[in-house]
Each structure stands twice: as structure tokens, then as C-alpha cells.
Amino acid sequence: MNGGDEGGGPPTAGVAAVSPREAALAGRLGVRRVTYVPQVVSLPRWVLDERAALSEQPGERAPRYVTAGRICAQKDPGFFAETARELLRSRPDAEVVWLGGGTPEDEERLRSIGVRVTGWIERATLLGELARADVYVHTAAWEGSPMTVLEAAELGVPVVARRIAALESLGVRRLEGTPAALAATAEETAKNPQSAGVGLDLTAVHNSTAQREALLGLYEQVASSAR
């Protein structure tokens, strides 16, 4: 869809952006044909059934807060660690989980404050862990369109996240600017999951029909410009 603008390569014909934020950035770079193409997730039936069964189980238990991804600067483990401290200070029996891994040093920093770090795991294991979450907590410093947020929402797991431009543009509703505020929102969401919803409207935008129409529209724009 795009090529290099330097070294004699062809100019960019068009950009398929995975979030409105990416589309805006591409426009600022002078790209004339930019289309937001929403990402779509497809989850196996078994994990949807597992989530549904867990949601129907009564009983009081400690809340379970989960995030997922590589432990790296982009995901900002420091922000997550501060959020985890607040959650565990308020509810010491809460389970805070990072699904994924990083360097031994980064993993140990999180474990030292009480976060369970799984290390790298198979996708089926990750989805099973995600299905058992009460709240998905996303603390990345920057993003495109994170698939883990969409997967959590598809499962019906409430999403709370750090306030960044990409997530604002995607319509994630429960966004906070500080670890303390994010922890407070996560706690309230865990207490009232039904009233909270998932925090992201998947059906209106993140579906295969919308994705197909956006891509076909961009292809048509590019093809028309070449005639």
C-alpha cells in the first residue's frame, strides 16, 4: 500500500491506519489518501464459553487485574507497577497479573511488588488467563491499536487504560492520567462490572464488515489515482 519516498522509490500511494490517531499522524506527514481500517479480533469458541461460564458463577472473591504484552518501554512497566502498588495497597489479596515476559530484571521488579508475571506463554494459555480477569488494565505509553484491548473487550472483560491519544481516538471510555486514578477506576470497575460494561464499543466499528469496506475504499482511491 505504500512505498518509499526517497532513493528513487515510488511515493506513498495510501496509508491504512489502524486507529484514527494513526490516520491523523499520516495526514500530518502529507499523505493524501489515508483511511482508518479498524482491527478485528477472532476468538475461539471455547474461550468465549469459558468466560460466559465464569461470569455466571456467584460468590465473593478477590479481584483479578490483568495486562498482557512484552515488558518493555512502550508498555511502560513502571506505570503498571505504580498502578499495581495502589491496587495491592487497597486490597492486599487482589491478584495482579502480567501475561508476558521481558528481561529477568524487568520481570523481577514487577514480582517484587506482588505482580504475578507469567513469562512467555502459549496463546491458548493467555486467552484462558484473560477470560478469568475481572478487569483488563492497559498502561502503554504509546500505541497503534492494541489487539489485547480488543480481545479483552470481545471477551466481555472491562477495560481501563492509561489516557493516551491512540486509545482516546479508538473510543476507550475509562481512561486515566495517573497510576492512582487508574487504580481507583479499576477497583470501582471490579466492584460494578455490569454497570461498567467493557469500556469499548466493538460492535459499531471493530467488525469485519467495517474493516472490509474501509480497505476496499482505500484500494479504490489508490486505483483511481493511477488511472
Side-chain angles (χ1 to χ4, degrees):
M1 185 60 68
N2 58 2
D5 291 326
E6 298 179 0
T12 297
V15 168
V18 298
S19 72
R21 167 68 172 171
E22 276 198 357
L25 292 174
R28 291 179 195 173
L29 292 173
V31 181
R32 288 186 298 159
R33 287 171 289 275
V34 182
T35 299
Y36 165 41
V37 180
Q39 302 234 60
V40 177
V41 298
S42 178
L43 298 178
R45 182 76 254 168
W46 68 264
V47 75
L48 296 169
D49 291 342
E50 184 171 316
R51 175 67 184 179
L54 288 167
S55 299
E56 294 170 0
Q57 293 178 3
E60 181 69 22
R61 60 178 176 78
R64 191 167 190 264
Y65 304 100
V66 169
T67 197
R70 180 184 295 276
I71 303 172
C72 62
Q74 183 255 330
K75 295 296 184 185
D76 202 343
F79 196 104
F80 185 82
E82 289 303 314
T83 304
R85 283 193 182 94
E86 294 289 336
L87 291 169
L88 293 168
R89 184 179 297 120
S90 174
R91 187 77 187 260
D93 63 339
E95 187 178 10
V96 184
V97 186
W98 190 302
L99 304 175
T103 66
E105 295 77 14
D106 284 341
E107 290 185 10
E108 182 53 36
R109 286 190 196 100
L110 290 169
R111 291 189 177 110
S112 69
I113 64 170
V115 176
R116 178 164 74 86
V117 180
T118 65
W120 295 113
I121 53 180
E122 297 291 333
R123 175 168 168 76
T125 304
L126 183 146
L127 290 176
E129 292 266 8
L130 185 58
R132 294 189 291 277
D134 293 299
V135 183
Y136 182 78
V137 182
H138 198 77
T139 63
W142 66 88
E143 279 290 4
S145 176
M147 295 298 286
T148 52
V149 167
L150 299 180
E151 287 170 339
E154 179 70 14
L155 279 169
V157 178
V159 174
V160 302
R162 180 181 185 172
R163 185 176 299 281
I164 57 174
L167 297 187
E168 286 182 315
S169 76
L170 287 167
V172 179
R173 292 190 288 272
R174 285 188 295 281
L175 300 173
E176 301 292 351
T178 67
L182 186 58
T185 298
E187 285 186 83
E188 183 57 36
T189 300
K191 291 174 185 174
N192 302 290
Q194 284 74 30
S195 62
V198 298
L200 177 66
D201 187 357
L202 279 177
T203 59
V205 179
H206 298 275
N207 59 74
S208 57
T209 298
Q211 185 184 68
R212 178 177 182 275
E213 290 177 352
L215 275 172
L216 287 176
L218 180 58
Y219 291 149
E220 179 58 32
Q221 290 182 56
V222 172
S224 296
S225 69
R227 290 172 188 157

